Structure formats: C-alpha cells, structure tokens
Amino acid sequence: MDNLFNSKMKLLGFFWSFLLAVLLLVCWFYYRNLKQEISAEAHKNAIQNLELIHGMLQRDADINDQQALQRYLRRIGSRMSFRITYVARGGMVIADSQVPLSSLASLDNHAVRPEIVAAQEQEVGLSTRYSRTSQQELIYVAKAIQPSGGIPPGVLRLAVPWSDFRARFDRYSRTFVWVMLLAFAIIALLSYLLTRQLDKPVNTMIAAMNAIGEGNYGQRLHFQPGHEFYSLAGSINAMADMISRQIHTITGQKQQLEAVFHGMKEGVMVLDAQGKLSGVNRAMAEIIPNVSQSIGRRPLEATMSLELQRACDYVLSPSSDLDSYPYMLQITLHAGENIYDVNIVRLQDPQGGIGAIVVFHDISELKRLEKVRQDFVANVSHELRTPLTSIKGYAETLLAEHEQGPQPLASFLSVILKNTNHMVKMVDDLLQLARLEARSHLEGAAAVNAAEALAAAWKACEPLAQSKQVRLTHSLPAEGLQVTVDFDQLVQVFRNLLENAVRYSPTGEIIEVGYTDDPKKVTFSVRDDGPGIPGQHQHRVFERFYRVEKHRGAQPGSTGLGLSICRHIIQNNGGRIWVKSPVDFQENGTIFYFTLFH
Ligand code: ADP
C-alpha cells in the first residue's frame, strides 16, 4: 500500500511539475505580450498628444517668439501630466513646460538625445529612459517642426511618465499571476482528489492479485458494469479462472505421477543438478531402509556403491553424450546378496541438465535362477561325460575287434559309436557354454596372432574338409594380425564357423576367410557357398539348440550349440557377431562376421 502511495505521489508530482511549467510559460507569454501592448499603447498616446500640441501650435498665430512659446508650453503642461520641450536645431532648449525661462540656458544641450536624433531622420523619434531632471522613467516622443514667426525650426518633444502605464501593467500582471496560481491550486487539488478516488478499486485489485498469487485461486473481483476498472477486473477474473483450471490439471497429473512413482516395484532415486538425492519412492526405501535420511546427500552415501556414484557423476557431467538415453549398469548391494539392473536417465531442459532419475530393478531372483540353470547344465553334463566316455571306449574297442566280424554287430557298434560321439560333442559343448557363462569378462585375454588361431582351427576341420574336398583361402597376414582374446577361444570360434562352412559347402568348393582392419578393431569374415540361411532364421541361429535343419533336414554332427558358443566368446571380449546371407550378388552362400579389439 505504501508503494502504491509513493508511486501515486510520484505520478502526481510529475503531473504538477508539468502543469506548473505550462502555467509559467503561459505567464511569461502573457507578461511579454501585455508589456508590448501597454508600451505600444503608451507610445501611440504620446504620439497622438504630440500631434495634438503641434496642431495647436500651428493654429495659434500669437506664438511667434520664445517667451510666447514658453508661456504656451507651460500653460498646456500645467494642465497635463507631461512635460513639453522645444529644442532648437543645434540642441539648445528654447522652451520647456517644467523649466522656467530663466533656467533654460543652464539645461544640457539636447542635440544627442536619441529621440531628437531620430526625429530629424524619421517622422517621429521615440525613446524610453530614465530622466535625471524629473527623476523617473519617461517615454519621449519627438517631431521636427517648422514654427512661424521668430521661433527657429527645431524639435517638439513630449515626455510622458512611464509610471502611469507601469502601474496598469503591474496591476494586470499581478491579477493574472493570481488567477494562474488559483488555477494551479484547483487543478492540483482536483487531480489529487481524483487519484484518491481511484485508490479504493486499485487497492481492491492489488489485494485480489496478491491473494491469487498466494494460491487463493477462488478470489474474484466484483465491479459493476460501467466502473472504470470493470473490463480490467473481468480480465483478472478470467486469468484467475485459467490459473485455477491449469493448477487443477497439474495437481491431478502430479498426483497420478506420485501414485505411479510410489506404486512402482522398481526403486527410484531422483537426483538434482548437483547430483544430490532430492527424492526416493517407497520401493527404494525398501531396498535401502534409511535412504530418506540421505536426502540432500550423494548416492554414494546412501548406497555405499562407488560404481553407482561414478555412473551418476558421468551421466550428470556436461561432457557425457547420452542425451536422453539411459546409462545401464549392474550393481550388487547388501554384501553381494542383491543384484540390481540400474538405469540412469538424465533429465533435460532447454537450459541444460537439471538432474537425473536412477531406477533400481531387482534381478537377484533372475540371477539366482540363471545360476541354478547353469549349475544344472554343468552338473548334468559333467555327470553324463564319464559314463559316455566309457561307453565310447567300449564301443570303439568292440568295433575294432569285430570290424571283420558278422555285419549286424559291426553296424550296430558303429551306430552306437556315432551316437555316443554326438552325445560327447553335445556334452562338451554344453560344458563349454556353462563355463563361458560363469566367467564373463575378458578372462585369459591377451594379444594373439589371429593367423595362428585360424591355422589351428583349420587343422581340426581338415579331416572333414578333405572328405568333401573343400579348400580354405585366407588373406590374413602371416607376420601376424594382433587381437586381444584368449587364444583357445579364438581357435574355438574359427573352428565352429569353419566346421559349419565345410559342412554346408557343396563338394569341391572354397571357403574364404577375410578381415578388415581399423585403428580399434578387426572384423573377420568366414564365407562359404552353401545353401545360405533364410532371413527369418538369421537372427535366431545364435540361440542355443537352434537349427535350421529342423526345417530342412538334419546334418550329421550338428548340435545347434556351435554359434551360441561363438556369440558368448565374442561378446565376452566386447565384440559383435552377425550373419549375412545370401552373399552379395548371389542366390546362396553365407558370410559370418565377427569383431575383436586389437
Ligand atoms: P550346429 O552345431 O548345428 O552347426 P550351430 O549353432 O553352429 O549349430 O548352427 C546353428 C544352425 O545355423 C545350424 O544348425 C544351421 O542350420 C545354421 N548354419 C550355421 N552355419 C551355417 C552355414 N555356414 N550355412 C548354412 N547354415 C548354417
């Protein structure tokens, strides 16, 4: 309210100063014009009187010497309030209505008086100045005349006191100034009263706006139609309506989000722009019981996980190039008892990062079940391997003894041996898969020569290749192509891919192994001219036990685990494996690609 008063007074002060300036200007104009007009009138009067006296002088024939002129002037001068002087050419005063004849000779020479000089050049000479003789300001008008008789030609001069006009001028200007002051006072008072009149509705509107600003959205203004602020009040009411509706919608949405937030099974942490905890949901409080006490602190203090803290710092750092993609990691909490998949998403606004959301997804049970499955596979494979080895051994021995013997026995034994071999291979593959799943990252990895691994793998495939007369060509440099991987695992990858390639190649064809090298990684390719893998199977051939033969007739020695082992090895080393079929510009053929780092 004080503010309103101050600004009102400021506005009024400005208005009053402006008004005063305008009134002063008007006064100044009036003063100037009045002065000009009054002095013009005084000059006109003086000139008229001068003409009158001149006329009378001309008409009066008795005035023909100095004494008669002096008498005449004194007579007229005594009746009028002005002084009449006659100055002969040369400047000597011959007659004066206010100076006796005897004193005339003592008067100054008047030749250089401005009005006398001007009268000789123009029709009438004019001058206003202070007279030392009569001690007042006088208007002098003078005219050159040619009297008759013994009076020499000269200048007839009339001096009218300026004070008569001055008094009138002062009276007029004083009255005008008073009128102006009165007008100013009335306008100032009226303007003040008018602004006071506006105080009440303005104050009501300010109070209503303050109430709306403080959250009282039901506040409305009720002005009658025709009121100065009727339409403004209408706009304020409409604005309050709109804000109220928007707030209602936002509150509803907020409640919905809160319900989702707290109803979620996943634990959620909200981080502010400084990476401090600004909120958690109920599920999070179940994961870390005292997490609500860590609000305002860093995730490290709440979870004791350095890994998580580093991930949050990375996501929130301006240099991270995640945009709105989630950063994913796995962490263990509670001394390794619980495993969580954690997704961190940066919250963005046009001005920059404003925090992050951290979502904890409990995968402990999933991991436990996976472990149970892996252990089961590993155990079963392990248990199967010993009896299978002895069956294989006995079958081989028996076959060796009975190869020349009765036919049914030899063929039964070779069927037993073939199936046993198949089962041994499957158990070996399963065991290897279980081992690969158990140890995940880069175990035993070292810089190895890919060409050597390829040679070792080809050696293992050679018997099969020779039986099909399939040859291998490769472009790998003999001096060495370095990749970081466990040597035996790389041999295994090449071997599985080459075995498949040989198995599916038509007899007498060539298998090609190639590579492309770039600064970080090497991409290997294994190509054959076999039947190819139809598009709908391509993304599934890397699954365990998946075989296209189910759909196109079985291949001997196929377990459906080879590519699954390859994928595990390559992914454990940070690489990627994929297939392309048919080969470019052909109707069949398959190329397997995989990448490894230098
Ligand atoms: P398998 O032991 O059966 O070869 P893999 O996992 O190595 O198991 O392969 C999965 C399936 O992918 C195979 O059964 C076969 O159907 C298909 N496949 C793999 N390599 C080739 C290839 N070079 N040409 C055609 N089909 C192939």
Side-chain angles (χ1 to χ4, degrees), residues 425 429 496-497 500-501 503-504 528 530-533 541-543 546-549 552 557-564 590 592:
K425 185 170 185 322
D429 283 357
N496 288 358
L497 294 178
N500 282 346
R503 202 178 293 148
Y504 296 101
D528 66 69
I533 302 174
V541 288
F542 297 99
E543 290 173 17
Y546 193 85
R547 275 178 294 178
V548 182
E549 282 68 43
R552 67 178 180 199
S558 159
T559 59
L561 291 169
L563 289 179
S564 179
T590 312
F592 278 93

Side-chain angles (χ1 to χ4, degrees), residues 51-65:
E51 292 293 353
L52 188 72
I53 294 164
H54 179 213
M56 278 158 50
L57 267 177
Q58 276 176 328
R59 239 181 298 131
D60 210 330
D62 297 341
I63 310 164
N64 48 15
D65 61 10

